Amino acid sequence: MERPPEEMFPILQHDENEILRANTSRVNATHSSSVCEVSVAKGGDAEQLGQNSSGQLLDDTQPEIRTKLNSEETLELRLYGAMVKSVASVWHEEQFLLDDDLNRIIDVETVKKELEKNKIATSQDSNDSLSRIADQICGVHRGESPQDGKTTTTTRRRIFAILVLIYKTSAILDVIKEGLYDWDLPLAIDKSETGPLQLKRKGVLVDFSQSWRFLLQENFYTYQWKFLTPYIEMRTQSSADIKHYAFDQHVILPVTSIENLDPHRRREDLSRIKIHPAYRNSLSGKRTEEPWLVLKRVWSGDEQVFRAEVELLERLRRDNLQLLQPLATYKHGSNYFLVFPFADGGNLDSFFQSHLQADQPPRDAKLSEWLASQFLGLSKALTSLGDCQPNLPISDKSCEPQRVLNKYGSHGNLKPQNILWFKEVAAGDSYPLGTFRISDFGLTSSRRSSFKSVRSMQDLVLMQMKCGDLRDLGYILAELVTWYLLGGDGAANFTTEHMADTNPDPWRASFFLITGDPEICGLARKAKAASIRKHFDTLRNLSQCTDFLLDLINFLDEKLLPISCKDCCKASELLEFAESIHRKCREENRYCLERTKPFTAGPIP
């Protein structure tokens, strides 16, 4: 093979820290915007070098070369052996190579040996010339990235590794001559109506592969994704922006573990995942820690629905520590995903099961303060959705249901399963029981089914905002008060006794049945109200019901769970009460420990 003149190969620096920064900046730049998505045709003649007679690319699993790979640790085998399995794809297994392993395997000495083995350069050539070629592959080049125009660094290690895996190592000289670097990846592949598959960079055919058979062009395109796994930066501060990424459908995501959160597979939109620590920032300051995360998929593939949920969470993100916030979002091919922190304790039901006894932990002032802080946090999170007092004309055709909900805010799916329990104790917490957070705003699913059961915009707004979220919060708080006084079994019995067994969604319709008929709606509420108030009277009569708990029960009874919707409190009134009892619990131990107020029965339904 004719070698290009030596002046093509000035010696470049290859400091390892610079190389690592070059690889990282290349990945970030590549995946900060969408890249070309194309279809790849199959079939065609086989390239003699690196292919068998059937036109397949030889790899380390094929019998005819397995003996050779086992007899010596070839560079191909080292690359394959270092790859990490990605489980992000449900269709087939994929692998990717870590940047650190790429830099460790593709070094100057290894490149020299590979060049000699493939007779691209030999020991008879001047050692200086061999070093210059190796430096062009491993050395760091600084310049403006073609991805975003920013000044950054790059190498040719990825391209060299790809060429090694497809048995076209000799093409590296043409790559150098053409002036291509790792930051030019990914190359697109295009098949015109009149020609074969061709590799392209920014819509222009690259020179180094024009003489290849089309199967080799396809192999280069496919193998490059093993070296282009993206880095996902997740926010660690509630005030930070939510980063969104748009990934090509062929991108191999650094997901190393995945579990469906519903063993019965009723909710395949939620999965528990782990992201390789080398491709994400640390959430706890421990670089090697690999925590579980929650991945939510928007099954509809509707960008507007996805954006609606993200924009709502963006508006609510500041100072809402008990509102579950996404760490990052991304589009992979045509699918949309949100990444959330994983609740290590489970949900509210799990909390009750973990604390069954009515005297453990001890019912003291600190526990009362913790309960009041959770009440305040959940109230802040819910009231941040809006005051729930819109005044919309029924005749206004522009008032579409989704617009109303987005404008004024509503959760629409508040229930114990959506109150997540995070065990980790944050700095300044009054008690080591963790934190509850509201999750699943239901913009992508549950709300749409409710639209069919209302007769007008006023019915919709009243149902979702006034009689929905605040009442649901009332029943959740009633469960917590019951747990405090009667333990986990008492909370479970309370829920069971007030469930509507015949309803397909028992929590949403167990305490108040909402239909299009206002008379049926009123009768259903009245029947349920009597049962709830009997339970509250039982709690009021307990000797361990302190002034703090009595105030909380009375507020639930009269303001959050009244017989009529029109008597339900405003969001501002809820927040004012929550702040008041939290302040009292912090300042007055007696308020948390003693009963000085007389028993007063709830209103008769």
Side-chain angles (χ1 to χ4, degrees):
M1 175 181 293
E2 181 180 355
R3 295 180 57 244
E6 291 186 2
E7 53 267 24
M8 281 185 56
F9 308 108
I11 296 180
L12 301 176
Q13 64 183 29
H14 41 88
D15 174 80
E16 293 302 320
N17 290 331
E18 281 291 329
I19 292 168
L20 182 59
R21 285 193 291 270
N23 288 336
T24 302
S25 63
R26 196 273 327 142
V27 171
N28 290 341
T30 300
H31 299 290
S32 61
S33 59
S34 298
V35 290
C36 179
E37 300 178 10
V38 294
S39 60
V40 181
K42 304 289 183 181
D45 298 334
E47 183 79 17
Q48 291 183 356
L49 181 59
Q51 297 176 25
N52 59 23
S53 59
S54 66
Q56 296 176 316
L57 179 70
L58 300 181
D59 60 33
D60 60 327
T61 64
Q62 292 176 292
E64 56 263 47
I65 64 169
R66 188 179 295 127
T67 302
K68 178 182 178 182
L69 291 178
N70 290 336
S71 64
E72 59 175 317
E73 191 178 29
T74 63
L75 182 54
E76 306 98 275
L77 187 59
R78 290 178 63 194
L79 289 169
Y80 279 122
M83 288 186 181
V84 177
K85 179 182 177 181
S86 169
V87 295
S89 174
V90 298
W91 307 112
H92 58 280
E93 181 179 313
E94 297 175 312
Q95 292 180 315
F96 62 95
L97 188 67
L98 302 179
D99 289 340
D100 287 345
D101 289 333
L102 176 72
N103 297 331
R104 174 178 55 83
I105 296 172
I106 306 296
D107 59 14
V108 170
E109 293 305 315
T110 300
V111 170
K112 286 182 179 180
K113 292 178 182 179
E114 194 69 15
L115 293 174
E116 287 191 87
K117 187 182 80 171
N118 287 275
K119 299 181 181 180
I120 298 170
T122 66
S123 56
Q124 282 71 37
D125 294 321
S126 69
N127 187 63
D128 185 55
S129 297
L130 193 62
S131 296
R132 287 178 182 274
I133 300 175
D135 286 336
Q136 281 289 328
I137 297 169
C138 299
V140 176
H141 174 76
R142 184 179 299 275
E144 290 186 0
S145 167
Q147 302 292 341
D148 56 18
K150 296 180 180 179
T151 300
T152 185
T153 54
T154 188
T155 71
R156 292 188 176 98
R157 295 185 182 213
R158 284 184 171 82
I159 295 178
F160 184 76
I162 298 167
L163 294 174
V164 167
L165 292 180
I166 67 172
Y167 298 92
K168 287 294 292 183
T169 310
S170 59
I172 191 62
L173 295 181
D174 296 326
V175 170
I176 296 173
K177 184 177 180 180
E178 193 170 349
L180 298 177
Y181 291 91
D182 289 345
W183 62 17
D184 293 302
L185 301 176
L187 298 182
I189 195 166
D190 176 60
K191 182 180 180 182
S192 63
E193 295 181 358
T194 57
L197 294 173
Q198 294 287 323
L199 290 172
K200 288 186 174 183
R201 173 185 174 273
K202 290 188 172 182
V204 179
L205 295 178
V206 295
D207 294 332
F208 76 88
S209 62
Q210 285 198 29
S211 62
W212 293 4
R213 305 285 185 177
F214 75 85
L215 184 57
L216 269 180
Q217 307 238 14
E218 180 186 0
N219 285 331
F220 185 98
Y221 178 81
T222 301
Y223 272 69
Q224 69 180 336
W225 299 108
K226 296 180 181 294
F227 303 89
L228 299 177
T229 295
Y231 184 91
I232 301 175
E233 182 179 350
M234 294 177 287
R235 65 177 186 165
T236 57
Q237 301 293 330
S238 60
S239 59
D241 292 333
I242 303 172
K243 288 188 177 292
H244 177 71
Y245 299 89
F247 299 136
D248 184 281
Q249 62 178 330
H250 298 97
V251 164
I252 300 174
L253 297 174
V255 178
T256 56
S257 299
I258 187 168
E259 297 177 5
N260 191 279
L261 289 180
D262 186 351
H264 302 292
R265 305 190 72 82
R266 291 180 301 231
R267 295 193 62 184
E268 295 182 317
D269 59 332
L270 288 178
S271 301
R272 186 171 76 154
I273 66 168
K274 286 186 176 182
I275 296 178
H276 196 287
Y279 290 92
R280 57 161 179 77
N281 56 319
S282 173
L283 300 178
S284 63
K286 300 176 182 179
R287 178 60 181 162
T288 57
E289 185 183 23
E290 199 171 357
W292 286 105
L293 302 166
V294 171
L295 186 66
K296 179 177 181 178
R297 175 179 177 180
V298 181
W299 279 99
S300 68
D302 187 332
E303 183 174 3
Q304 289 185 341
V305 172
F306 169 75
R307 290 295 180 191
E309 183 161 356
V310 173
E311 288 172 6
L312 175 60
L313 291 171
E314 276 278 15
R315 293 200 304 268
L316 301 173
R317 74 178 189 272
R318 300 183 189 278
D319 302 322
N320 282 317
L321 301 181
Q322 288 185 236
L323 195 65
L324 189 67
Q325 300 284 344
L327 303 172
T329 67
Y330 65 86
K331 179 185 179 184
H332 191 203
S334 60
N335 298 311
Y336 294 90
F337 298 87
L338 297 93
V339 182
F340 292 94
F342 176 71
D344 52 351
N347 55 35
L348 189 60
D349 289 337
S350 306
F351 174 82
F352 295 144
Q353 288 300 312
S354 299
H355 302 88
L356 293 175
Q357 298 182 32
D359 58 352
Q360 293 296 327
R363 271 44 176 177
D364 55 18
K366 285 295 184 182
L367 183 61
S368 295
E369 183 184 341
W370 174 83
L371 180 60
S373 70
Q374 297 308 303
F375 174 34
L376 176 59
L378 294 175
S379 299
K380 282 183 175 180
L382 192 62
T383 55
S384 64
L385 288 168
D387 192 80
C388 306
Q389 294 293 317
N391 184 17
L392 302 174
I394 297 177
S395 59
D396 189 350
K397 296 181 180 180
S398 66
C399 296
E400 298 174 0
Q402 195 65 46
R403 291 186 182 181
V404 175
L405 294 173
N406 289 343
K407 181 177 181 180
Y408 293 99
S410 170
H411 185 285
N413 195 28
L414 199 61
K415 54 188 176 181
Q417 291 77 15
N418 287 336
I419 304 297
L420 301 185
W421 175 33
F422 289 80
K423 288 184 178 180
E424 184 176 355
V425 179
D429 281 357
S430 61
Y431 207 83
L433 282 181
T435 306
F436 297 128
R437 296 185 188 178
I438 297 176
S439 70
D440 192 0
F441 277 78
L443 274 175
T444 60
S445 57
S446 62
R447 290 184 176 177
R448 292 188 171 185
S449 61
S450 301
F451 297 159
K452 300 176 182 179
S453 63
V454 294
R455 297 178 300 173
S456 68
M457 281 304 306
Q458 293 289 4
D459 289 337
L460 170 66
V461 173
L462 183 63
M463 179 190 71
Q464 286 283 60
M465 299 178 180
K466 200 169 183 60
C467 294
D469 289 351
L470 293 180
R471 280 184 175 271
D472 284 347
L473 179 63
Y475 288 109
I476 286 169
L477 295 174
E479 278 193 307
L480 279 169
V481 173
T482 303
W483 164 80
Y484 191 102
L485 291 170
L486 301 178
D489 287 335
N493 291 336
F494 166 74
T495 302
T496 302
E497 289 173 3
H498 298 87
M499 281 292 179
D501 297 329
T502 59
N503 193 281
D505 188 358
W507 173 260
R508 169 132 294 280
S510 59
F511 302 114
F512 57 98
L513 302 176
I514 295 176
T515 71
D517 190 330
E519 293 184 3
I520 295 177
C521 179
L523 291 173
R525 273 207 192 94
K526 193 169 184 178
K528 290 297 178 182
S531 174
I532 294 297
R533 275 151 189 76
K534 181 179 178 181
H535 176 75
F536 283 159
D537 284 346
T538 300
L539 297 182
R540 289 185 180 103
N541 273 316
L542 295 174
S543 60
Q544 63 269 36
C545 183
T546 63
D547 287 346
F548 157 61
L549 296 172
L550 183 62
D551 285 348
L552 184 52
I553 292 170
N554 289 339
F555 185 84
L556 296 178
D557 195 1
E558 299 169 10
K559 298 296 184 180
L560 284 182
L561 301 172
I563 299 173
S564 173
C565 269
K566 62 182 176 58
D567 295 326
C568 192
C569 70
K570 295 182 180 180
S572 58
E573 189 177 355
L574 166 65
L575 190 56
E576 182 181 352
F577 174 76
E579 290 173 340
S580 173
I581 63 169
H582 181 247
R583 182 171 58 253
K584 279 188 177 182
C585 285
R586 294 179 60 184
E587 297 174 355
E588 305 175 26
N589 279 2
R590 184 179 178 184
Y591 179 68
C592 302
L593 300 175
E594 299 179 7
R595 172 69 171 268
T596 64
K597 299 179 180 182
F599 168 81
T600 303
I604 299 175

